[in-house]
Amino acid sequence: MKRLNNGEIWKDTDGNDIHAHGGCIIFHDGYYYWYGEDRRADHYVSCYRSKDLASWEFRNWILGSGSQVKEYRVKTRLSLLNPDGTKVNIERPKVLFNEKTGRFVMWAHFENGKDYKDAQVAIASCDTPDGNFTYHGSFNPYGFMSRDCTLFKDEDGTAYFISAARDNADLHVYRLTDDYMNVDKLVNRLWQGEYREAPAVFKHKNTYYMLSSYCTGWAPNQCKYARADRMDGKWSMLKDIGDETTYDSQAAFVLTPGDRIFYFGDRWGGNGDKYFESSYVVYELAFKDERLEMIFSEYADIGWRENNELRSN
Ligand code: GAL
């Protein structure tokens, strides 16, 4: 099996570049599904799948500028194109499976791609993990700005949307409605004035952990983490993890197969065409005397070990 080197643009099983930045991986019916940004013409979000986290089969562009559009709530902006016909930006797409409705629901950050001033969240859904998602529009949750974001699903099915508000100064935690199609309540406003973005949440032994970066655009900075006993409870102070550039990366999401904890990050290329030089990194996270640590590696230590039992919660 091929080793995935950190800082390289990984290939899918057809030998094509994987376009899945700022995304997430979920486990469903025996497969890992990897969703992420695809900024090439007409595309917004790609989906790949794998049984071992190492070889990725391209499945579909689940969202593109021609996706079917269907309103589900009032006061949303429904278009996936700007009024002048140019593409918008759909960033940091996250997908969760809703047990009650049987639908896969995507939340992502919406910008017009010109001035970064929309700061909205976009929602789409589908009845299969890799089908053509129906777009339901973008909006400001309770009127708040909403930029870098993530989703987290708890063991009891309760889901949370976390996003940067107030021009990135605060990180908001919203509990979602049972069908994951709307915000139900703003349950936390974290680290006000600290300018945290690129949030990534995981749960380990009944404790919640949130990683986030500072706001320096495409340039990497020091990742920090915090912990809490409840998503809607009191969160700890932020503590450094990794080095001052997070080993040249910014968090996309954290995956916890079996008892391992993997940080997936983007090593961004930058603006415009440079964006397409962006690559991927995976660093394992581990606890040392209660403290969470990021273990630097030249390669992504996932999936290619023999007898590596991989599961996902
Ligand atoms: C980063 C953010 C990325 C992208 C970029 C644009 O800070 O995490 O997702 O939005 O800014 O400048």
Side-chain angles (χ1 to χ4, degrees), residues 89-139:
N89 277 351
I90 298 291
E91 302 189 6
R92 297 188 172 268
K94 311 292 173 200
V95 177
L96 289 182
F97 176 62
N98 187 290
E99 309 277 348
K100 288 186 181 145
T101 62
R103 290 187 77 79
F104 295 81
V105 184
M106 189 199 86
W107 288 57
H109 171 196
F110 178 101
E111 294 289 348
N112 58 36
K114 298 176 198 284
D115 60 15
Y116 213 58
K117 285 192 177 143
D118 285 330
Q120 293 194 323
V121 53
I123 300 184
S125 73
C126 189
D127 56 5
T128 59
D130 47 8
N132 297 329
F133 276 52
T134 302
Y135 186 62
H136 303 300
S138 62
F139 64 102

CSV table of all heavy atoms in Angstrom, one decimal, residues 89-139:
chain,number,residue,atom,x,y,z
A,89,ASN,N,-17.6,30.9,-3.2
A,89,ASN,CA,-16.7,29.9,-2.5
A,89,ASN,C,-17.5,29.2,-1.5
A,89,ASN,O,-18.3,29.7,-0.7
A,89,ASN,CB,-15.6,30.7,-1.8
A,89,ASN,CG,-14.4,31.0,-2.7
A,89,ASN,OD1,-14.4,30.5,-3.9
A,89,ASN,ND2,-13.5,31.8,-2.2
A,90,ILE,N,-17.4,27.8,-1.5
A,90,ILE,CA,-18.0,27.0,-0.5
A,90,ILE,C,-16.8,26.4,0.3
A,90,ILE,O,-16.0,25.6,-0.3
A,90,ILE,CB,-18.8,25.9,-1.1
A,90,ILE,CG1,-20.0,26.5,-1.9
A,90,ILE,CG2,-19.3,24.9,0.0
A,90,ILE,CD1,-21.1,27.1,-1.0
A,91,GLU,N,-16.6,26.8,1.5
A,91,GLU,CA,-15.4,26.5,2.2
A,91,GLU,C,-15.7,25.6,3.4
A,91,GLU,O,-16.7,25.6,4.0
A,91,GLU,CB,-14.7,27.7,2.8
A,91,GLU,CG,-14.3,28.7,1.7
A,91,GLU,CD,-13.4,29.9,2.1
A,91,GLU,OE1,-13.0,29.8,3.3
A,91,GLU,OE2,-13.2,30.8,1.3
A,92,ARG,N,-14.7,24.7,3.8
A,92,ARG,CA,-14.7,23.9,5.0
A,92,ARG,C,-16.0,23.1,5.1
A,92,ARG,O,-16.7,23.2,6.1
A,92,ARG,CB,-14.5,24.8,6.2
A,92,ARG,CG,-13.1,25.4,6.2
A,92,ARG,CD,-12.8,26.1,7.5
A,92,ARG,NE,-11.3,26.5,7.4
A,92,ARG,CZ,-10.3,25.7,7.8
A,92,ARG,NH1,-10.6,24.6,8.4
A,92,ARG,NH2,-9.1,26.1,7.6
A,93,PRO,N,-16.4,22.4,4.0
A,93,PRO,CA,-17.7,21.6,4.1
A,93,PRO,C,-17.6,20.4,5.1
A,93,PRO,O,-16.6,19.7,5.1
A,93,PRO,CB,-17.8,21.0,2.7
A,93,PRO,CG,-16.4,21.0,2.1
A,93,PRO,CD,-15.7,22.2,2.8
A,94,LYS,N,-18.6,20.3,5.9
A,94,LYS,CA,-18.7,19.2,6.9
A,94,LYS,C,-20.0,18.5,6.7
A,94,LYS,O,-21.0,19.1,6.4
A,94,LYS,CB,-18.7,19.7,8.3
A,94,LYS,CG,-17.6,20.7,8.6
A,94,LYS,CD,-16.2,20.2,8.6
A,94,LYS,CE,-15.1,21.3,8.7
A,94,LYS,NZ,-13.8,20.9,8.2
A,95,VAL,N,-20.0,17.2,6.8
A,95,VAL,CA,-21.2,16.4,6.6
A,95,VAL,C,-21.5,15.4,7.8
A,95,VAL,O,-20.5,14.9,8.3
A,95,VAL,CB,-21.0,15.5,5.3
A,95,VAL,CG1,-22.2,14.6,5.1
A,95,VAL,CG2,-20.8,16.4,4.1
A,96,LEU,N,-22.7,15.3,8.1
A,96,LEU,CA,-23.1,14.4,9.2
A,96,LEU,C,-24.3,13.6,8.7
A,96,LEU,O,-25.2,14.1,7.9
A,96,LEU,CB,-23.6,15.1,10.4
A,96,LEU,CG,-22.6,15.9,11.3
A,96,LEU,CD1,-23.3,16.5,12.5
A,96,LEU,CD2,-21.5,14.9,11.7
A,97,PHE,N,-24.4,12.3,9.1
A,97,PHE,CA,-25.6,11.5,8.8
A,97,PHE,C,-26.6,11.7,9.9
A,97,PHE,O,-26.2,11.6,11.1
A,97,PHE,CB,-25.1,10.0,8.7
A,97,PHE,CG,-26.3,9.1,8.5
A,97,PHE,CD1,-27.1,9.2,7.4
A,97,PHE,CD2,-26.6,8.1,9.4
A,97,PHE,CE1,-28.2,8.4,7.1
A,97,PHE,CE2,-27.7,7.3,9.2
A,97,PHE,CZ,-28.5,7.4,8.1
A,98,ASN,N,-27.8,12.0,9.6
A,98,ASN,CA,-28.9,12.1,10.5
A,98,ASN,C,-29.7,10.8,10.6
A,98,ASN,O,-30.3,10.4,9.7
A,98,ASN,CB,-29.8,13.3,10.2
A,98,ASN,CG,-30.8,13.6,11.3
A,98,ASN,OD1,-31.7,12.8,11.5
A,98,ASN,ND2,-30.6,14.7,12.0
A,99,GLU,N,-29.6,10.1,11.8
A,99,GLU,CA,-30.3,8.8,12.0
A,99,GLU,C,-31.8,9.0,11.8
A,99,GLU,O,-32.4,8.0,11.4
A,99,GLU,CB,-30.0,8.3,13.4
A,99,GLU,CG,-28.5,8.2,13.8
A,99,GLU,CD,-27.8,7.0,13.2
A,99,GLU,OE1,-28.5,6.1,12.8
A,99,GLU,OE2,-26.5,7.0,13.3
A,100,LYS,N,-32.3,10.1,12.3
A,100,LYS,CA,-33.8,10.2,12.3
A,100,LYS,C,-34.4,10.4,10.9
A,100,LYS,O,-35.4,9.8,10.6
A,100,LYS,CB,-34.2,11.4,13.2
A,100,LYS,CG,-34.0,11.1,14.6
A,100,LYS,CD,-34.5,12.1,15.6
A,100,LYS,CE,-34.3,11.7,17.0
A,100,LYS,NZ,-33.9,12.8,17.9
A,101,THR,N,-33.7,11.2,10.1
A,101,THR,CA,-34.3,11.5,8.7
A,101,THR,C,-33.6,10.6,7.7
A,101,THR,O,-34.1,10.5,6.5
A,101,THR,CB,-34.0,12.9,8.3
A,101,THR,OG1,-32.6,13.1,8.3
A,101,THR,CG2,-34.6,13.9,9.3
A,102,GLY,N,-32.5,9.9,8.0
A,102,GLY,CA,-31.8,9.1,7.0
A,102,GLY,C,-31.1,9.9,6.0
A,102,GLY,O,-30.7,9.4,4.9
A,103,ARG,N,-30.9,11.2,6.2
A,103,ARG,CA,-30.2,12.1,5.3
A,103,ARG,C,-28.8,12.5,5.7
A,103,ARG,O,-28.6,12.6,6.9
A,103,ARG,CB,-31.1,13.3,5.0
A,103,ARG,CG,-32.4,13.0,4.2
A,103,ARG,CD,-33.1,14.3,3.8
A,103,ARG,NE,-32.6,15.0,2.7
A,103,ARG,CZ,-32.7,14.6,1.4
A,103,ARG,NH1,-33.4,13.6,1.1
A,103,ARG,NH2,-32.2,15.4,0.5
A,104,PHE,N,-28.0,12.8,4.7
A,104,PHE,CA,-26.7,13.3,5.0
A,104,PHE,C,-26.8,14.8,4.8
A,104,PHE,O,-27.3,15.3,3.8
A,104,PHE,CB,-25.7,12.7,3.9
A,104,PHE,CG,-25.5,11.2,4.1
A,104,PHE,CD1,-26.4,10.3,3.6
A,104,PHE,CD2,-24.5,10.7,4.9
A,104,PHE,CE1,-26.3,9.0,3.8
A,104,PHE,CE2,-24.3,9.4,5.1
A,104,PHE,CZ,-25.2,8.5,4.6
A,105,VAL,N,-26.4,15.5,5.8
A,105,VAL,CA,-26.5,17.0,5.8
A,105,VAL,C,-25.2,17.7,5.8
A,105,VAL,O,-24.3,17.3,6.7
A,105,VAL,CB,-27.4,17.4,7.1
A,105,VAL,CG1,-27.6,18.9,7.0
A,105,VAL,CG2,-28.7,16.6,7.1
A,106,MET,N,-25.0,18.6,4.9
A,106,MET,CA,-23.7,19.3,4.8
A,106,MET,C,-23.9,20.8,5.3
A,106,MET,O,-24.8,21.4,4.9
A,106,MET,CB,-23.3,19.3,3.4
A,106,MET,CG,-21.9,19.9,3.2
A,106,MET,SD,-21.6,20.4,1.5
A,106,MET,CE,-22.2,22.0,1.5
A,107,TRP,N,-22.9,21.2,6.1
A,107,TRP,CA,-22.8,22.6,6.5
A,107,TRP,C,-21.5,23.1,6.0
A,107,TRP,O,-20.5,22.4,6.2
A,107,TRP,CB,-23.0,22.8,8.0
A,107,TRP,CG,-24.3,22.5,8.5
A,107,TRP,CD1,-25.1,21.4,8.4
A,107,TRP,CD2,-25.1,23.5,9.3
A,107,TRP,NE1,-26.3,21.6,9.0
A,107,TRP,CE2,-26.4,22.8,9.6
A,107,TRP,CE3,-24.9,24.7,9.8
A,107,TRP,CZ2,-27.4,23.4,10.3
A,107,TRP,CZ3,-26.0,25.3,10.6
A,107,TRP,CH2,-27.2,24.7,10.8
A,108,ALA,N,-21.4,24.3,5.5
A,108,ALA,CA,-20.2,24.9,5.0
A,108,ALA,C,-20.2,26.4,5.1
A,108,ALA,O,-21.2,27.0,5.4
A,108,ALA,CB,-20.0,24.5,3.5
A,109,HIS,N,-19.0,27.0,4.9
A,109,HIS,CA,-18.9,28.4,4.9
A,109,HIS,C,-19.1,29.0,3.5
A,109,HIS,O,-18.5,28.5,2.6
A,109,HIS,CB,-17.5,28.7,5.5
A,109,HIS,CG,-17.0,30.1,5.4
A,109,HIS,ND1,-15.7,30.5,5.5
A,109,HIS,CD2,-17.7,31.3,5.2
A,109,HIS,CE1,-15.6,31.8,5.4
A,109,HIS,NE2,-16.8,32.3,5.2
A,110,PHE,N,-19.9,30.0,3.4
A,110,PHE,CA,-20.3,30.6,2.1
A,110,PHE,C,-19.7,32.0,2.0
A,110,PHE,O,-19.9,32.8,2.8
A,110,PHE,CB,-21.8,30.7,2.0
A,110,PHE,CG,-22.3,31.3,0.7
A,110,PHE,CD1,-22.8,30.5,-0.3
A,110,PHE,CD2,-22.3,32.7,0.6
A,110,PHE,CE1,-23.3,31.1,-1.5
A,110,PHE,CE2,-22.8,33.3,-0.6
A,110,PHE,CZ,-23.3,32.5,-1.6
A,111,GLU,N,-19.0,32.2,0.9
A,111,GLU,CA,-18.5,33.6,0.6
A,111,GLU,C,-18.7,33.8,-0.9
A,111,GLU,O,-18.7,32.8,-1.7
A,111,GLU,CB,-17.0,33.7,0.9
A,111,GLU,CG,-16.6,33.7,2.4
A,111,GLU,CD,-17.1,34.9,3.2
A,111,GLU,OE1,-17.5,35.9,2.5
A,111,GLU,OE2,-17.1,34.8,4.4
A,112,ASN,N,-18.8,35.1,-1.3
A,112,ASN,CA,-18.9,35.3,-2.8
A,112,ASN,C,-17.7,35.2,-3.6
A,112,ASN,O,-17.7,35.3,-4.8
A,112,ASN,CB,-19.6,36.7,-3.0
A,112,ASN,CG,-18.7,37.8,-2.4
A,112,ASN,OD1,-17.4,37.7,-2.4
A,112,ASN,ND2,-19.3,38.9,-1.8
A,113,GLY,N,-16.5,34.9,-2.9
A,113,GLY,CA,-15.3,34.7,-3.6
A,113,GLY,C,-14.6,36.0,-4.0
A,113,GLY,O,-13.5,35.9,-4.7
A,114,LYS,N,-15.2,37.1,-3.7
A,114,LYS,CA,-14.6,38.4,-4.1
A,114,LYS,C,-14.1,39.2,-2.9
A,114,LYS,O,-13.0,39.7,-3.0
A,114,LYS,CB,-15.6,39.2,-4.9
A,114,LYS,CG,-16.2,38.6,-6.2
A,114,LYS,CD,-17.3,39.4,-6.8
A,114,LYS,CE,-18.1,38.7,-7.8
A,114,LYS,NZ,-17.5,38.4,-9.1
A,115,ASP,N,-14.9,39.3,-1.9
A,115,ASP,CA,-14.5,40.2,-0.8
A,115,ASP,C,-14.6,39.6,0.6
A,115,ASP,O,-14.3,40.3,1.6
A,115,ASP,CB,-15.3,41.5,-0.8
A,115,ASP,CG,-16.8,41.2,-0.7
A,115,ASP,OD1,-17.2,40.1,-0.3
A,115,ASP,OD2,-17.6,42.1,-1.0
A,116,TYR,N,-15.0,38.3,0.8
A,116,TYR,CA,-15.0,37.7,2.1
A,116,TYR,C,-15.9,38.4,3.1
A,116,TYR,O,-15.6,38.4,4.3
A,116,TYR,CB,-13.5,37.7,2.7
A,116,TYR,CG,-13.2,36.4,3.5
A,116,TYR,CD1,-13.3,35.1,3.0
A,116,TYR,CD2,-12.7,36.6,4.8
A,116,TYR,CE1,-12.9,34.0,3.8
A,116,TYR,CE2,-12.4,35.5,5.6
A,116,TYR,CZ,-12.5,34.2,5.0
A,116,TYR,OH,-12.1,33.1,5.8
A,117,LYS,N,-16.9,39.0,2.6
A,117,LYS,CA,-17.8,39.8,3.5
A,117,LYS,C,-19.2,39.1,3.7
A,117,LYS,O,-19.9,39.6,4.5
A,117,LYS,CB,-18.0,41.2,2.9
A,117,LYS,CG,-16.8,42.1,3.1
A,117,LYS,CD,-17.1,43.5,2.9
A,117,LYS,CE,-15.8,44.4,3.1
A,117,LYS,NZ,-15.7,45.5,2.2
A,118,ASP,N,-19.5,38.1,3.0
A,118,ASP,CA,-20.8,37.4,3.3
A,118,ASP,C,-20.9,36.7,4.6
A,118,ASP,O,-21.9,36.9,5.3
A,118,ASP,CB,-21.1,36.4,2.1
A,118,ASP,CG,-21.5,37.1,0.9
A,118,ASP,OD1,-22.0,38.2,0.9
A,118,ASP,OD2,-21.2,36.6,-0.2
A,119,ALA,N,-19.8,36.0,5.0
A,119,ALA,CA,-19.8,35.3,6.3
A,119,ALA,C,-21.1,34.6,6.6
A,119,ALA,O,-21.7,34.9,7.6
A,119,ALA,CB,-19.4,36.3,7.4
A,120,GLN,N,-21.4,33.7,5.7
A,120,GLN,CA,-22.7,32.9,5.9
A,120,GLN,C,-22.4,31.4,6.0
A,120,GLN,O,-21.3,31.0,5.6
A,120,GLN,CB,-23.6,33.2,4.7
A,120,GLN,CG,-24.1,34.6,4.7
A,120,GLN,CD,-25.3,34.7,3.7
A,120,GLN,OE1,-25.4,34.1,2.7
A,120,GLN,NE2,-26.3,35.6,4.1
A,121,VAL,N,-23.4,30.7,6.5
A,121,VAL,CA,-23.3,29.2,6.5
A,121,VAL,C,-24.2,28.7,5.4
A,121,VAL,O,-25.3,29.2,5.2
A,121,VAL,CB,-23.6,28.6,7.8
A,121,VAL,CG1,-25.0,29.1,8.4
A,121,VAL,CG2,-23.6,27.1,7.7
A,122,ALA,N,-23.8,27.7,4.6
A,122,ALA,CA,-24.6,27.1,3.5
A,122,ALA,C,-24.9,25.7,3.9
A,122,ALA,O,-24.1,25.0,4.6
A,122,ALA,CB,-23.7,27.1,2.3
A,123,ILE,N,-26.1,25.3,3.6
A,123,ILE,CA,-26.6,23.9,3.9
A,123,ILE,C,-27.1,23.2,2.7
A,123,ILE,O,-27.7,23.8,1.8
A,123,ILE,CB,-27.8,24.0,4.9
A,123,ILE,CG1,-27.3,24.7,6.2
A,123,ILE,CG2,-28.3,22.6,5.3
A,123,ILE,CD1,-28.4,24.8,7.2
A,124,ALA,N,-26.7,21.9,2.6
A,124,ALA,CA,-27.2,21.0,1.5
A,124,ALA,C,-27.5,19.6,2.1
A,124,ALA,O,-27.0,19.3,3.2
A,124,ALA,CB,-26.1,20.9,0.5
A,125,SER,N,-28.3,18.8,1.4
A,125,SER,CA,-28.6,17.5,2.0
A,125,SER,C,-28.8,16.5,0.9
A,125,SER,O,-29.1,16.8,-0.3
A,125,SER,CB,-29.8,17.5,2.9
A,125,SER,OG,-31.0,17.7,2.2
A,126,CYS,N,-28.7,15.2,1.3
A,126,CYS,CA,-28.9,14.1,0.3
A,126,CYS,C,-29.3,12.8,1.0
A,126,CYS,O,-29.0,12.7,2.2
A,126,CYS,CB,-27.5,13.9,-0.4
A,126,CYS,SG,-27.6,12.8,-1.9
A,127,ASP,N,-29.9,11.9,0.3
A,127,ASP,CA,-30.3,10.6,1.0
A,127,ASP,C,-29.2,9.5,0.8
A,127,ASP,O,-29.4,8.4,1.3
A,127,ASP,CB,-31.6,10.1,0.5
A,127,ASP,CG,-31.7,9.9,-1.0
A,127,ASP,OD1,-30.7,10.1,-1.7
A,127,ASP,OD2,-32.8,9.6,-1.5
A,128,THR,N,-28.1,9.8,0.1
A,128,THR,CA,-27.0,8.9,0.1
A,128,THR,C,-25.7,9.7,0.4
A,128,THR,O,-25.7,10.9,0.2
A,128,THR,CB,-26.8,8.2,-1.3
A,128,THR,OG1,-26.6,9.3,-2.3
A,128,THR,CG2,-28.0,7.4,-1.7
A,129,PRO,N,-24.6,9.0,0.8
A,129,PRO,CA,-23.4,9.8,1.2
A,129,PRO,C,-22.7,10.5,0.1
A,129,PRO,O,-22.1,11.5,0.3
A,129,PRO,CB,-22.5,8.7,1.9
A,129,PRO,CG,-23.0,7.4,1.4
A,129,PRO,CD,-24.5,7.6,1.2
A,130,ASP,N,-22.8,9.9,-1.1
A,130,ASP,CA,-22.1,10.4,-2.3
A,130,ASP,C,-22.9,10.7,-3.5
A,130,ASP,O,-22.5,10.8,-4.6
A,130,ASP,CB,-21.0,9.4,-2.7
A,130,ASP,CG,-21.5,8.0,-2.8
A,130,ASP,OD1,-22.8,7.8,-2.7
A,130,ASP,OD2,-20.7,7.0,-2.9
A,131,GLY,N,-24.2,11.0,-3.2
A,131,GLY,CA,-25.1,11.4,-4.3
A,131,GLY,C,-25.0,12.9,-4.6
A,131,GLY,O,-24.1,13.6,-4.1
A,132,ASN,N,-25.9,13.4,-5.5
A,132,ASN,CA,-25.9,14.8,-5.8
A,132,ASN,C,-26.7,15.5,-4.7
A,132,ASN,O,-27.9,15.3,-4.5
A,132,ASN,CB,-26.6,15.0,-7.1
A,132,ASN,CG,-25.9,14.4,-8.3
A,132,ASN,OD1,-24.6,14.3,-8.2
A,132,ASN,ND2,-26.6,14.0,-9.3
A,133,PHE,N,-26.0,16.3,-3.9
A,133,PHE,CA,-26.7,17.0,-2.8
A,133,PHE,C,-27.6,18.1,-3.3
A,133,PHE,O,-27.3,18.7,-4.3
A,133,PHE,CB,-25.6,17.6,-1.8
A,133,PHE,CG,-25.1,16.6,-0.8
A,133,PHE,CD1,-24.6,15.3,-1.2
A,133,PHE,CD2,-25.1,16.9,0.6
A,133,PHE,CE1,-24.1,14.4,-0.3
A,133,PHE,CE2,-24.6,16.0,1.5
A,133,PHE,CZ,-24.2,14.7,1.1
A,134,THR,N,-28.7,18.3,-2.6
A,134,THR,CA,-29.6,19.4,-2.9
A,134,THR,C,-29.2,20.6,-2.1
A,134,THR,O,-29.0,20.4,-0.9
A,134,THR,CB,-31.1,19.0,-2.6
A,134,THR,OG1,-31.4,17.9,-3.4
A,134,THR,CG2,-32.0,20.1,-3.0
A,135,TYR,N,-29.1,21.7,-2.7
A,135,TYR,CA,-28.6,22.9,-2.0
A,135,TYR,C,-29.8,23.7,-1.4
A,135,TYR,O,-30.8,23.9,-2.1
A,135,TYR,CB,-27.9,23.8,-3.0
A,135,TYR,CG,-27.2,25.0,-2.4
A,135,TYR,CD1,-26.2,24.8,-1.4
A,135,TYR,CD2,-27.6,26.3,-2.7
A,135,TYR,CE1,-25.6,25.9,-0.8
A,135,TYR,CE2,-27.0,27.4,-2.1
A,135,TYR,CZ,-26.0,27.2,-1.1
A,135,TYR,OH,-25.4,28.3,-0.5
A,136,HIS,N,-29.7,24.0,-0.1
A,136,HIS,CA,-30.8,24.7,0.6
A,136,HIS,C,-30.5,26.2,0.9
A,136,HIS,O,-31.2,26.8,1.7
A,136,HIS,CB,-31.1,23.9,1.9
A,136,HIS,CG,-31.4,22.5,1.7
A,136,HIS,ND1,-32.5,22.1,0.9
A,136,HIS,CD2,-30.9,21.4,2.1
A,136,HIS,CE1,-32.6,20.8,0.9
A,136,HIS,NE2,-31.6,20.3,1.6
A,137,GLY,N,-29.4,26.7,0.4
A,137,GLY,CA,-29.2,28.1,0.6
A,137,GLY,C,-28.2,28.4,1.7
A,137,GLY,O,-27.7,27.6,2.4
A,138,SER,N,-27.9,29.8,1.9
A,138,SER,CA,-27.0,30.2,2.9
A,138,SER,C,-27.6,31.3,3.7
A,138,SER,O,-28.5,32.0,3.3
A,138,SER,CB,-25.7,30.8,2.2
A,138,SER,OG,-26.0,31.9,1.4
A,139,PHE,N,-27.2,31.5,5.0
A,139,PHE,CA,-27.8,32.4,5.9
A,139,PHE,C,-26.8,32.8,7.0
A,139,PHE,O,-25.8,32.1,7.2
A,139,PHE,CB,-29.1,31.9,6.4
A,139,PHE,CG,-29.0,30.7,7.3
A,139,PHE,CD1,-29.0,30.8,8.7
A,139,PHE,CD2,-28.8,29.4,6.7
A,139,PHE,CE1,-28.9,29.7,9.5
A,139,PHE,CE2,-28.7,28.3,7.6
A,139,PHE,CZ,-28.7,28.4,8.9
